[in-house]
Amino acid sequence: MPALQLTGVRDVVLLGAHPDDIEIGAGGLLLALAATAGLRVHYVLLTGTPHRHAEARAAATAFLAGAEVTFTLHGLPDGRLPAYWAEAKAAIEAVARARPADLVVAPDPGDAHQDHRTVAALVPTAFRSGTVLHYEIPKWDGDLGRRNVYLPLTEAQARRKVELLHKHFPSQSGRDWWDDEVFLGLARLRGVECRSRYAEAYRCEKAVVRI
C-alpha cells in the first residue's frame, strides 16, 4: 500500500460543522500531528453554543498538546447549514484567505448529515493548494463507505482518542451511539483494511505528487 507522507506539514486547518466532529473523525490524526515541531493549527466550527464551544476548545488543546492552536467558532444554527450557505461560505473562505494550509481536514462530501456535506462542499473552492483529507463520522444513517487513505494507530493512540472524547465532550455521553465499542470498533475495522490493529480512514479526492 503506497504511503502519503505528511512530514512537511506545519500549517493545518481543521473544519467541523459541530463541536466533536473533528475529534470523532480525526482525533488519532490530531494526536499524531501533535508531535510535529512548530505545528500551527487553526480550528474552525460552524455551529455550537458557548458551552459546546468550551468543550471543543478544551478538547483541541488536549488532542494537540504542544501545538499552537487558534480558533474561529461560529454559532450558525445546528442542522440548518444548507439554509445558511452564504454565511458558511463566507466563514470558510475567510479562513482560507487568512491561513494558507499544508493540510486541511474536513467532513466527507458523501456524509449523510446535511451540515457535514455543506462544509465539505465548500472546501475545494476555498482551499486550492493544501492536501484535503475528508474524515468519517459514524451515525445511524449508515453512510460509512470505502476510503482511500488510512492512518494506522497504535492501541495507545486509539484508546487515548476515546479517553479524550469521553473527558472533553460530557454533553454527548447520553447519546446511544457514544461509547467505546462504536469508536474502537470502527477503528478496528479500518485497521483491518490497512493491516494495522487500529486506524482512521479518510478520503482524499485530489493529491499532488512531487518528485
Side-chain angles (χ1 to χ4, degrees):
M1 180 177 292
L4 175 65
Q5 297 292 334
L6 298 178
T7 52
V9 169
R10 291 296 180 274
D11 291 284
V12 180
V13 170
L14 305 174
L15 294 166
H18 317 102
D20 74 31
D21 285 355
I22 295 167
E23 292 79 7
I24 292 172
L29 176 62
L30 304 192
L31 291 172
L33 286 173
T36 303
L39 185 71
R40 295 175 293 270
V41 179
H42 193 58
Y43 185 107
V44 184
L45 295 177
L46 273 293
T47 76
T49 64
H51 175 68
R52 295 282 278 131
H53 285 168
E55 287 185 330
R57 283 181 180 274
T61 301
F63 274 93
L64 291 161
E68 176 188 326
V69 186
T70 54
F71 297 86
T72 298
L73 307 177
H74 298 276
L76 295 175
D78 187 349
R80 299 289 185 271
L81 283 188
Y84 290 82
W85 176 273
E87 292 86 346
K89 181 177 175 64
I92 291 174
E93 288 184 343
V95 172
R97 287 193 301 269
R99 298 182 177 274
D102 306 312
L103 176 66
V104 179
V105 183
D108 190 81
D111 195 297
H113 194 294
Q114 65 273 12
D115 289 353
H116 301 171
R117 287 198 309 275
T118 299
V119 175
L122 291 168
V123 169
T125 54
F127 294 92
R128 295 180 180 271
S129 299
T131 298
V132 179
L133 293 181
H134 296 281
Y135 54 77
E136 59 183 353
I137 300 175
K139 62 181 72 66
W140 72 272
D141 307 82
D143 60 358
L144 300 177
R146 296 187 68 179
R147 305 281 121 179
N148 60 7
V149 177
Y150 292 85
L151 174 69
L153 300 176
T154 66
E155 182 165 349
Q157 287 173 323
R159 294 190 179 279
R160 178 63 172 163
K161 171 182 174 176
V162 176
E163 175 190 349
L164 291 177
L165 284 171
H166 289 315
K167 179 177 180 180
H168 292 290
F169 294 104
S171 65
Q172 305 305 294
S173 62
R175 296 183 179 274
D176 57 5
W177 54 269
W178 186 277
D179 60 41
D180 293 15
E181 289 184 333
V182 169
F183 299 133
L184 289 175
L186 179 57
R188 180 70 185 103
L189 176 63
R190 295 313 192 188
V192 168
E193 294 172 355
C194 67
R195 296 186 177 274
S196 175
R197 179 66 183 173
Y198 295 106
E200 285 178 343
Y202 299 84
R203 189 183 310 279
C204 181
E205 300 198 336
K206 181 187 288 187
V208 177
V209 177
R210 303 191 187 279
I211 299 175

